[in-house]
Amino acid sequence: MSGRLTLVPGPAHPLADPRDPLGLRADAPLLDGWLASTEAADRGALTPMCTPGHKQRHDLTGAVVAGDTPLYGGVDTIKHADTLLADAEARAARLWGADWCRFSVAGSTHGNQTLALAVGTPGQEAIVTRCLHRSLLLGLVLAGLRPVWVLPERDTDTGLPGAVAVQTVRSALAAHPRACAVFLGDPSYVGTTGDLAGHADAAHEAGVPLIVDAAWAAYLGFHPDLPPHAIAAGADGMVTSAHKTLPAATQGALVFARTGLLDRARLDRAFEATHTTSPAGAITASVDAARALLAKDGKQLCARLLRLVATAKRRLAQVPGVAVLDGPGMDPAKLVVLLAGAGADGYAVEADLIAAGMPVELGDRDMIIPIVTVADTEDTVARFCDTLAASVERRRGPARRPEPSPAWSVVPQMAIPPREAFFAPNQTVPADAAVGRISAELVAPYPPGIPVLAPGEVVTADALAALRTAKAQGGRIAYAADPSLATFQVITRA
Ligand SMILES: Cc1ncc(COP(=O)(O)O)c(C=O)c1O
């Protein structure tokens, strides 16, 4: 490991700019603009007569607006910022080997919707994993695409999702020759990965693009022990959340494409359709900075990340009854901790971790998923493992069979396409009366945000029971008009 990297997160070089301790601005045009603009604001050199309305004053709404400057009119002039943005996005495209890249301030949510709007025509079919994030489902609604669902493999011991098999996608493409694209999520929320090169071949043989939601793994491809990222594996489109696993600001995301099967102008139109016209300078600059950091030190940072996760896995696997997901088909930088064998209630363990100041990304009855990133250290990961192990000891009980979230095991019965259902007249009915009717709404335990019910799908007794179980165990039921699950919104009968 280089001497420079052992400084993270220790003291910077004595001559370094404390606002840019690793000197990234020389290779990051948006970061450079943000640093210059906020420095001018801090020394009172600006009298902005444009948005934002706080005018760089911190005596009204206070510190909450510190560092906020718009991309247009802050990072650079309204007329010139596009040039900096295009430069920064071109640098990212080069780093990931893509032809097209855009920085989003609306997360992979917006990226998924961009890519859905970039393919096909309303009414056309698309092959889509049913293990999809709700943002892509709403992308299908926006674009009017009719999903042909494909289901991932499931691990019989844990009930957790693996990847979608290439043969499953090939069969779907053969049965639906007019489908316009294949949409997959890889790695899955639990870090399982599939044969993306095989999927790319299958999609390309059918003449359609492969589009991959890689929201959770922006670091893929930056170390030889990590799987290649989707674009390198042959995908035509990929979205990833810079904010989830890179040191970028919340909401920052990257959308990539290889043009050919996807059209550059259509991609731009799709991206702009639902993006704000006022992107935050700090978010876009932080994506630029994260890209510059990966370009400079990505391999060493990912080497350390891999070491941290491997150490954590070894440590946690020593706790009797606790298991971690590992092995081929698993992103080696992902830490997924299984608790059923120790009989500890994951919701209680999550509460202990929150009380210790260690919020995790997912805690359900049987599983804890922390996000470990290049910003973690031996110390943060060791403290997390110790706190988790102590909580498991306190909460220990008889080993039980895991009862996975219903999100992983949805077997959808699509009655009408999601877009049709979204706009259809609907009514609210008691839960039991909803069984057998067509859902007007999207209902998802969150995390992971995979719809158990999607608009247009039949409300089955199994789905209702599974949602009730998830709620009774302490899970958050998101997006339902009635999160108590007492009533559901269903399509009005003709
Ligand atoms: C698989 C997947 N895709 C997309 C998203 C949306 O990402 P963002 O929060 O960056 O909008 C999420 C969020 O959790 C996700 O899990």
Side-chain angles (χ1 to χ4, degrees):
M1 179 181 295
S2 81
R4 188 187 332 109
L5 276 169
T6 56
L7 292 177
V8 180
H13 188 281
L15 296 180
D17 173 356
R19 302 177 74 233
D20 176 25
L22 299 180
L24 299 175
R25 72 189 297 175
D27 174 39
L30 295 178
L31 174 65
D32 185 54
W34 180 86
L35 286 165
S37 164
T38 49
E39 188 272 328
D42 286 350
R43 74 183 141 80
L46 289 182
T47 309
M49 285 297 153
C50 58
T51 66
H54 57 68
K55 300 288 182 106
Q56 305 301 337
R57 282 177 60 170
H58 300 165
D59 58 336
L60 296 170
T61 42
V64 73
V65 294
D68 178 53
T69 193
L71 172 63
Y72 295 101
V75 170
D76 206 334
T77 63
I78 290 177
K79 298 204 173 45
H80 191 253
D82 269 348
T83 310
L84 289 194
L85 179 63
D87 181 4
E89 290 173 336
R91 289 173 198 237
R94 275 199 297 281
L95 184 63
W96 268 269
D99 301 327
W100 177 92
C101 172
R102 298 298 307 268
F103 292 180
S104 175
V105 299
S108 287
T109 295
H110 172 237
N112 273 330
Q113 292 169 3
T114 295
L115 293 170
L117 285 166
V119 297
T121 53
Q124 211 171 352
E125 288 180 325
I127 314 298
V128 189
T129 172
R130 187 55 182 76
C131 216
L132 80 176
H133 186 252
R134 46 89 58 186
S135 58
L136 178 55
L137 195 297
L138 271 301
L140 301 179
V141 169
L142 290 172
L145 296 177
R146 302 165 71 106
V148 173
W149 297 121
V150 284
L151 302 184
E153 305 290 295
R154 278 179 74 204
D155 180 69
T156 41
D157 289 342
T158 60
L160 294 174
V164 177
V166 173
Q167 191 48 48
T168 306
V169 167
R170 279 192 182 277
S171 303
L173 283 166
H176 299 269
R178 298 172 68 84
C180 64
V182 176
F183 288 87
L184 298 175
D186 200 286
S188 73
Y189 193 93
V190 295
T192 42
T193 59
D195 176 7
L196 285 183
H199 282 297
D201 287 345
H204 296 161
E205 282 164 32
V208 298
L210 170 66
I211 293 175
V212 178
D213 176 351
W216 288 101
Y219 47 76
L220 288 191
F222 285 93
H223 188 279
D225 294 343
L226 287 165
H229 57 70
I231 293 287
D236 303 274
M238 174 176 97
V239 58
T240 190
S241 293
H243 74 93
K244 289 192 195 296
T245 54
L246 300 180
T250 298
Q251 297 177 208
L254 292 146
V255 200
F256 295 101
R258 175 176 287 130
T259 53
L261 290 169
L262 294 173
D263 175 69
R264 177 181 295 272
R266 169 81 178 267
L267 283 159
D268 278 324
R269 282 203 298 279
F271 180 91
E272 297 298 351
T274 52
H275 203 221
T276 175
T277 46
S278 312
I283 301 177
T284 47
S286 76
V287 174
D288 194 21
R291 188 273 314 150
L293 180 66
L294 278 182
K296 187 160 91 77
D297 295 331
K299 187 170 172 194
Q300 299 93 314
L301 287 167
C302 287
R304 196 184 54 170
L305 171 63
L306 287 165
R307 260 203 323 279
L308 292 179
V309 173
T311 307
K313 283 181 180 172
R314 276 196 303 275
R315 162 80 177 88
L316 292 169
Q318 283 165 7
V319 179
V322 168
V324 291
L325 290 187
D326 209 356
M330 183 69 196
D331 170 3
K334 187 86 176 179
L335 185 55
V336 177
V337 189
L338 307 177
L339 302 175
D345 176 354
Y347 290 107
V349 172
E350 182 189 20
D352 287 348
L353 290 165
I354 291 171
M358 296 180 183
V360 290
E361 197 57 40
L362 178 144
D364 68 14
R365 198 188 69 148
D366 295 331
M367 189 163 65
I368 296 286
I369 304 185
I371 301 299
V372 183
T373 77
V374 299
D376 276 297
T377 63
E378 275 80 3
D379 176 55
T380 61
V381 174
R383 281 193 289 120
F384 170 75
C385 290
D386 289 347
T387 309
L388 178 57
S391 169
V392 169
E393 288 313 333
R394 263 200 312 285
R395 309 282 179 181
R396 183 175 286 288
R400 57 169 189 263
R401 269 195 70 73
E403 196 179 319
S405 160
W408 314 129
S409 50
V410 182
V411 181
Q413 286 183 31
M414 192 175 83
I416 58 174
R419 182 180 172 90
E420 218 175 287
F422 187 89
F423 293 109
N426 58 80
Q427 62 184 135
T428 302
V429 297
D432 291 322
V435 173
R437 303 282 299 270
I438 301 171
S439 180
E441 56 182 342
L442 185 156
V443 184
Y446 211 111
I450 296 165
V452 165
L453 272 181
E457 288 179 356
V458 177
V459 182
T460 61
D462 282 354
L464 178 59
L467 285 169
R468 281 176 168 159
T469 303
K471 180 164 178 55
Q473 286 175 354
R476 169 187 161 220
I477 305 294
Y479 312 115
D482 175 1
S484 79
L485 301 179
T487 61
F488 281 80
Q489 295 202 315
V490 295
I491 306 293
T492 308
R493 283 196 179 107

